[in-house]
Amino acid sequence: MNKQSKLLQALSHPPKYMVSLFLGLIALASLFLGNAYASTIEAETYTGLASALSYLASNPFAYLFLTLAIGYPIGRITIGGISLGATAGTLVTGILIALASSALYGITYDIPGLVEDIFLMLFMYALGMRVGPQFFSGLARGGIDFIVIGLIVVVSNFLIVFFGVKLLDLGPGYAAGIISGSYTVTAVMGVAQSAVNSGAFHLPDGMTTDMVSANMAAGYAISYVLSSIFIILLVKYLPSMFGKDPVVEAQRAEQDYSGGEDGGALPGTAGASILGFTDKQIRSYLVEHKELAGKSVNQLFKINPHAAIVRVVRGDEVIEARDNPTLQLGDIVGVLGNYGLLLNGEDKVGQEVSEPRARMIDIEVADVHVGNSEFAGKTLEALGQEIGFGIHLKSMFRAGVAIPHLPKTIVEKGDVLRLAGPAWCIAQAAKSLKAVPIIESTYTEVSFMSIALFIGFLIGHASVEISGIPFALGASAGCMLMGILVSWLRTRNPEFGGPTSEGARAFLNDIGLSMFVAVLAAGVGPKIISSFQGTVVIWIAILGMLGALVPPFLAWIYGYYFRKMNPVVLAGACAGGRNSTPALNGIQDISRSGIAAVAYPVPYALTSAAVLILGYIAMVFS
């Protein structure tokens, strides 16, 4: 058997090889780090694997990036058509490293919470930037359904966990802990603890505050780990489980939420400046007809506005059409127009010739905002005859939605026109519209992003206390809303910053979520061992899984069968109702689209507040 066959055979048994990969990489890291860095450890001397794990604990930077380096390939391993994905792979890897460190050597990882907060806020801002242009149309189309889905998820989670704990007689504290863990909202632990400290919850005889807190911690740790992993898989594969192709459904949703007109990428989003396919061409002709001689380029455009002479070659001289030259017999002209129209060029101009200097003209795409009321109320046909020299209208947007761009379509102030043509032709048209052509660039706008994140933090950090329960949107949600607002403004006003580089946005998205999950795993991993006490852990695991997975499945049934919602959008709503950003990332990955996020913010915001109330109630009446 050759090496390639052996490799294929090995990859066909991923469970065993996933463990081998993990252990092998840890062993390799231990060998290297144990020898290279053992001298830097002052508190205790370790060797081998212990030395590696101790080094990672002392240097969170190394732990974080090693977790990502191992977690990403693990997430790509497919078993029976199912894969964890990068997020769940990173979470599992981080937990295993932290768990092994704690269980074997008593080593724990103390990573400042600021690291987790920063990366989470960066991710949420990037997510908002991606979904912002379609958010408000999504809210208008499915706002009530999104609210109902959120209520289904949060109420059914409470009922399953609260009465499950009562039925199993698990004791005070477990219900709040399992709700907190199964919902992956750590703040529930805070309000539940406040109920205990304030006296709203009356301690039964023989119980102490520490014992209740320990029960909460046990319920939280076990259910958090299990629900964090399996909710990603559930939401990610819900459309496929019901026989729907997530990629196809995402494409349908994108067209639906864009207004039904395929206008390409919305203004202010990635891809807005891609030329794509067009029947416009530039062909070169020898001026042979006498009736053309003595006429200027602009005069000829007025006669035939469907074709424009964009360059004139006269001997060794190359003349740009912006100078409005007058044609002479023997000139070679580059004519921009529809392919079908240019086929008749020899009849109207002269013989077609191969002259690269007349044809080799860069074509770019730019969004132009109609800011001149002089053109409001005119048709596109009339607008084209006045300022359409050398340009092609690819798309037209109104209030962030693509609309049909037909000859009789009326132009309104505030519309965004996507124009293609030579740079100077676009600039000329934009000047007439009193606008600046916006072209996508790689400018990352760190200052602008920082201001948005600052405001988002202030909005999310503002807290209102009702009956002793603090309510706040949360810094991460505030940053997401700012991302939505910024991209929404850019969609309607491309001069407000222009399109954001998708490469920069995608990097913030991926590194933000992955780092957040890695830090989270470092804190949760060691707590699992302390929670394993008899059969209680089994019941916690069962209730945590039921509380995490059944509610979004019930919401899916409502949206899929009763409301006939798009499966990918519905999956995004279920992820929002479950407060699981990694689950949203999972459905986005498998659908190759960000459209699922249009349904995420409404149920997310609703349940973020509702679960705190229900967690407080669960503690008081436990």
Side-chain angles (χ1 to χ4, degrees):
M1 183 180 294
N2 58 35
K3 291 183 178 180
Q4 185 177 6
S5 299
K6 291 180 179 179
L7 178 60
L8 292 174
Q9 182 181 17
L11 293 175
S12 66
H13 299 81
K16 178 174 65 177
Y17 287 93
M18 180 166 66
V19 176
S20 299
L21 172 65
F22 178 80
L23 294 178
L25 288 172
I26 287 294
L28 181 63
S30 68
L31 179 62
F32 173 73
L33 297 174
N35 293 331
Y37 300 105
S39 62
T40 65
I41 301 173
E42 300 177 359
E44 186 173 351
T45 301
Y46 296 103
T47 59
L49 179 60
S51 176
L53 295 176
S54 178
Y55 175 80
L56 293 178
S58 302
N59 298 272
F61 178 90
Y63 159 78
L64 291 173
F65 282 100
L66 181 63
T67 300
L68 266 62
I70 301 174
Y72 266 67
I74 286 180
R76 285 195 291 266
I77 295 176
T78 301
I79 305 174
I82 298 177
S83 62
L84 285 175
T87 303
T90 301
L91 179 64
V92 170
T93 302
I95 288 174
L96 288 177
I97 293 177
L99 181 59
S101 302
S102 176
L104 298 177
Y105 305 107
I107 298 172
T108 57
Y109 294 79
D110 185 17
I111 302 177
L114 179 62
V115 177
E116 179 181 7
D117 293 340
I118 288 175
F119 282 108
L120 178 59
M121 287 188 287
L122 287 176
F123 166 73
M124 296 298 280
Y125 177 77
L127 179 63
M129 287 291 294
R130 183 175 186 176
V131 69
Q134 296 161 319
F135 171 72
F136 290 99
S137 61
L139 180 60
R141 290 172 182 269
I144 299 299
D145 286 331
F146 297 158
I147 292 174
V148 173
I149 285 172
L151 291 175
I152 290 174
V153 175
V154 72
V155 172
S156 57
N157 170 271
F158 170 80
L159 295 176
I160 290 171
V161 175
F162 182 79
F163 289 104
V165 168
K166 287 287 187 182
L167 181 65
L168 296 171
D169 194 24
L170 291 183
Y174 280 110
I178 296 174
I179 289 175
S180 182
S182 64
Y183 226 93
T184 59
V185 177
T186 310
V188 173
M189 293 272 286
V191 297
Q193 191 65 49
S194 70
V196 175
N197 296 337
S198 67
F201 167 74
H202 300 287
L203 288 169
D205 295 337
M207 290 285 294
T208 65
T209 299
D210 289 341
M211 294 172 65
V212 174
S213 299
N215 290 346
M216 274 195 285
Y220 169 80
I222 297 171
S223 57
Y224 190 105
V225 172
L226 294 175
S227 63
S228 295
I229 296 172
F230 286 99
I231 189 59
I232 299 173
L233 296 176
L234 175 67
V235 173
K236 182 177 181 179
Y237 292 105
L238 268 174
S240 301
M241 289 165 55
F242 284 75
K244 299 295 183 180
D245 186 331
V247 175
V248 173
E249 295 299 332
Q251 292 172 347
R252 291 177 180 172
E254 285 177 349
Q255 185 172 3
D256 184 36
Y257 279 89
S258 68
E261 176 74 8
D262 185 10
L266 293 174
T269 63
S273 297
I274 295 176
L275 177 61
F277 296 100
T278 175
D279 61 351
K280 296 293 186 295
Q281 291 189 4
I282 300 176
R283 305 181 75 149
S284 54
Y285 301 91
L286 178 64
V287 178
E288 297 178 314
H289 297 281
K290 294 181 180 180
E291 58 268 25
L292 299 180
K295 289 187 172 62
S296 69
V297 167
N298 286 340
Q299 286 176 322
L300 292 173
F301 177 72
K302 295 295 184 181
I303 297 172
N304 187 359
H306 299 291
I309 297 173
V310 292
R311 184 171 288 176
V312 178
V313 177
R314 184 174 296 155
D316 294 333
E317 185 181 7
V318 177
I319 307 170
E320 296 293 344
R322 70 163 68 92
D323 299 326
N324 193 27
T326 299
L327 298 190
Q328 299 177 8
L329 290 176
D331 287 347
I332 297 176
V333 295
V335 184
L336 172 65
N338 289 333
Y339 176 72
L341 178 66
L342 296 179
L343 288 177
N344 301 320
E346 292 191 3
D347 298 332
K348 297 182 178 181
V349 183
Q351 179 184 358
E352 184 172 6
V353 296
S354 177
E355 176 49 82
R357 290 179 297 171
R359 293 184 293 104
M360 303 301 285
I361 300 174
D362 288 335
I363 301 296
E364 67 179 31
V365 179
D367 288 334
V368 176
H369 187 245
V370 179
N372 190 346
S373 58
E374 173 188 347
F375 296 101
K378 293 188 177 182
T379 64
L380 286 174
E381 184 177 35
L383 189 65
Q385 291 176 350
E386 293 187 44
I387 64 171
F389 185 95
I391 58 175
H392 163 55
L393 179 62
K394 285 179 60 66
S395 308
M396 180 175 181
F397 302 89
R398 181 169 296 159
V401 176
I403 64 173
H405 49 289
L406 304 174
K408 300 302 180 183
T409 300
I410 303 297
V411 178
E412 297 181 4
K413 187 176 181 179
D415 287 349
V416 176
L417 307 178
R418 180 161 299 156
L419 307 177
W424 68 267
C425 292
I426 294 177
Q428 184 174 270
K431 183 178 180 181
S432 299
L433 293 169
K434 294 188 177 179
V436 177
I438 304 299
I439 302 173
E440 184 177 1
S441 69
T442 57
Y443 181 53
T444 56
E445 304 175 43
V446 173
S447 177
F448 192 87
M449 179 192 72
S450 300
I451 293 173
L453 289 174
F454 173 72
I455 297 174
F457 176 83
L458 294 180
I459 293 173
H461 200 254
S463 177
V464 177
E465 190 169 300
I466 302 176
S467 300
I469 306 176
F471 293 97
L473 185 62
S476 58
C479 292
M480 180 180 182
L481 288 179
M482 284 305 300
I484 290 173
L485 178 62
V486 167
S487 59
W488 176 75
L489 288 173
R490 288 182 172 187
T491 299
R492 286 151 178 75
N493 305 280
E495 67 273 16
F496 189 68
T500 300
S501 166
E502 175 59 13
R505 193 212 64 79
F507 176 77
L508 285 179
N509 187 96
D510 292 347
I511 196 67
L513 181 60
S514 298
M515 284 293 190
F516 164 72
V517 168
V519 175
L520 196 64
V524 173
K527 297 178 182 177
I528 297 177
I529 290 296
S530 61
S531 301
F532 281 83
Q533 300 176 2
T535 59
V536 173
V537 66
I538 299 176
W539 296 122
I540 293 175
I542 292 174
L543 281 180
M545 289 286 286
L546 290 175
L549 304 181
V550 172
F553 190 79
L554 294 176
W556 170 273
I557 296 298
Y558 162 79
Y560 187 81
Y561 286 109
F562 294 96
R563 300 299 300 163
K564 310 296 182 184
M565 294 175 64
N566 179 279
V568 173
V569 174
L570 175 57
C574 292
R578 252 291 282 107
N579 260 234
S580 177
T581 305
L584 173 63
N585 197 60
I587 187 63
Q588 288 178 323
D589 283 344
I590 201 169
S591 66
R592 303 174 194 170
S593 169
I595 194 65
V598 302
Y600 183 83
V602 174
Y604 175 90
L606 172 67
T607 57
S608 294
V611 73
L612 295 178
I613 299 173
L614 295 176
Y616 187 87
I617 292 173
M619 187 69 253
V620 171
F621 293 98
S622 64

